Amino acid sequence: MEQDTLLKFENVSYTYEEEEENNRLAVRNISFEIKKGEFIVVLGHNGSGKSTIAKLSNSIYLPTSGRVLVDGMDTSVEENEIPCRKKIGVVFQNPDNQIVASIVEEDVAFGPENLNLPQKEIRARVDEALKAVGMYEYRLHETHRLSGGQKQRVAIAGIIAMRPAGIVLDEPTAMLDPKGRADILETVHTLNKELGMTVVLITHFMEEALHADRIFVINDAVVERTGTPDEIFSDAAFLETCGLELPDTAKLCLLLKKRGVSLPDRIFTPEALIEELVRQTERA
Amino acid sequence: MSLLEVKNLSFGYSRATPFEIQALKDVSFNIDEGELVSVIGHTGSGKSTLMQMLNALLTPEQGEVLLEGKNIHESKTSAYEARFRVGLCFQYPEYQLFCETCAEDIAFGPKNMGLPPDEIRERVKQAARFVGLDEALLDHSPFDLSGGQKRRCAIAGVMAMRPKILILDEPTAGLDPAGRSAVLDMILHYRQETGATVIIVTHSMEIAAAVSDRILVLNQGALVFDSTPAEIFSHYEALVSMGLNVPSFTKIIYALQKRGLHVQNAYTAQAAADAICAMLHAEETSP
């Protein structure tokens, strides 16, 4: 395995125990590689297997067949379990299920404390993690009084304080208001760009995938397609068969084209469309 | 007289403690029969508190809620009745499924209303139709269903009470795009068939823009806007300062206006496309 690969799935299948007799697989024979520092977005319909992938990637689940390698370590080997979890942290959908302490900084310290780190080191890591998610001023606040978006950022800080190489977020914005969503997205992009952290963002919002390095489309337990946002979003019919849709800007482009406006292909971001329209009016 | 009149509602949690929170401040509005109203507001803005007052799960400290002119908080009986007449479907309602079969789960509300078995059966079937739940699934355990189906089964349980007002708290949260449009279509279909009044609480500006006759905006417990989507989404900066936003299409329109282009406001995909076409056309023909 190459040095720069953080996460590798090799022909991984997984069956939930209660589904064993029906032979129903939550993920079927999937393989992919994620490089260190990449920003990956995973899209897929409800029940497609996205969350199973999240749980396989830090040994919460172990593959029924195939191998999951975290920085070269096989998650199925017992003594790798803890090292794997230190390498990749997972943030889930519901912030209320992930907060364990009543004060923000105590919650963030929970992970490092369990690593048996010296007090000073814990303090440093907690402060750094809270600053990274923009929650430092709230360090002495009570966790249950925070908004959903703030709780979610505290949950992310708890992961960062463990200093993992990568973070997997399973629909972290599903329960949040617009501001909360925007804050989380900004946070994960900052972690990726400034701390070089590998990010795997699982989502149902196409907009959140626009600035990914690569997108994985999961459909009925398999990785149906991987590609850049350009590649994935230029095939509307494919997205629809997977229960997905175009990003809003691309939808608007389609409507404009139907009305006879000539637009270049592959406009997916609002910024690109705005620039194009400004150009067209200047030309006229 | 409006179907629902909300007058000067105020409510606080943890009164007389250091943690006191004023959840609602002097909130007043009316909702007419057959309207579809969306309620938007940041987390903690008071949306859920307000909804729980509309079906008497919470009692206001001040103010009153009149349903067809009668104060629902007047007595225990009126509060009990309000729970059937104002059907409240909580966020992630699939976590509240508990019966052995879908049919029993949907029948739970009607049963508590003391309806005869024939009537209950009829209502269960009708509600299942409204949400597009296959009749064959009615005898299955709700826990055998997919996520989207569970959500629909739970919503059917509220519809089966045939409430005058159906309130849905974040009905599309956590669903994939196909699931989101299926649930929205289902709500619109239900409304068309029954003429029922519907209130949707949502964090999606696009959904509020696409389906509502009117939008209520809550900010820190106060009702700050009560108007049409067009009017509401013309307050871009105010909405952003409240932790909200405008629909993505509207954002594009505003960005074009900022660049000095003459384009009309729009808040849905279709309207934005029309406005942009009109703009390009005007630019072409202008000297």
Side-chain angles (χ1 to χ4, degrees), chain A residues 250-261, chain B residues 249 268-271 273 277:
Chain A
K251 277 191 221 161
L252 181 55
C253 287
L254 269 188
L255 292 174
L256 287 170
K257 284 180 181 171
K258 268 193 197 149
R259 286 163 172 73
V261 177
Chain B
F249 309 108
T268 63
Q270 295 286 350
C277 278

Side-chain angles (χ1 to χ4, degrees), chain B residues 27-49:
Chain B
V27 170
S28 303
F29 60 88
N30 292 339
I31 291 182
D32 287 327
E33 183 119 30
E35 265 194 303
L36 197 163
V37 177
S38 288
V39 180
I40 60 177
H42 61 88
T43 319
S45 60
K47 304 186 297 289
S48 297
T49 305

Side-chain angles (χ1 to χ4, degrees), chain B residues 102-171:
Chain B
C102 295
E104 283 172 47
D105 217 299
I106 299 174
F108 186 76
K111 231 182 231 166
N112 278 293
M113 294 168 78
L115 296 170
D118 286 351
E119 167 85 17
I120 294 176
R121 258 196 302 279
E122 166 56 28
R123 285 188 175 208
V124 169
K125 275 191 185 169
Q126 191 201 33
R129 258 201 317 279
F130 279 138
V131 299
L133 202 64
D134 196 33
E135 216 168 289
L137 287 175
L138 287 175
D139 295 328
H140 285 243
S141 161
F143 303 106
D144 289 343
L145 307 181
S146 74
Q149 286 170 332
K150 274 187 207 164
R151 170 94 35 114
R152 291 191 221 179
C153 177
I155 295 177
V158 183
M159 287 178 174
M161 299 194 300
R162 296 199 183 149
K164 286 293 274 186
I165 302 177
L166 174 67
I167 303 179
L168 300 145
D169 193 352
E170 292 274 6

Side-chain angles (χ1 to χ4, degrees), chain A residues 154-173:
Chain A
V154 171
I156 294 175
I159 301 287
I160 298 171
M162 307 279 284
R163 300 239 174 107
I167 181 166
V168 176
L169 304 108
D170 190 0
E171 293 190 52
T173 64

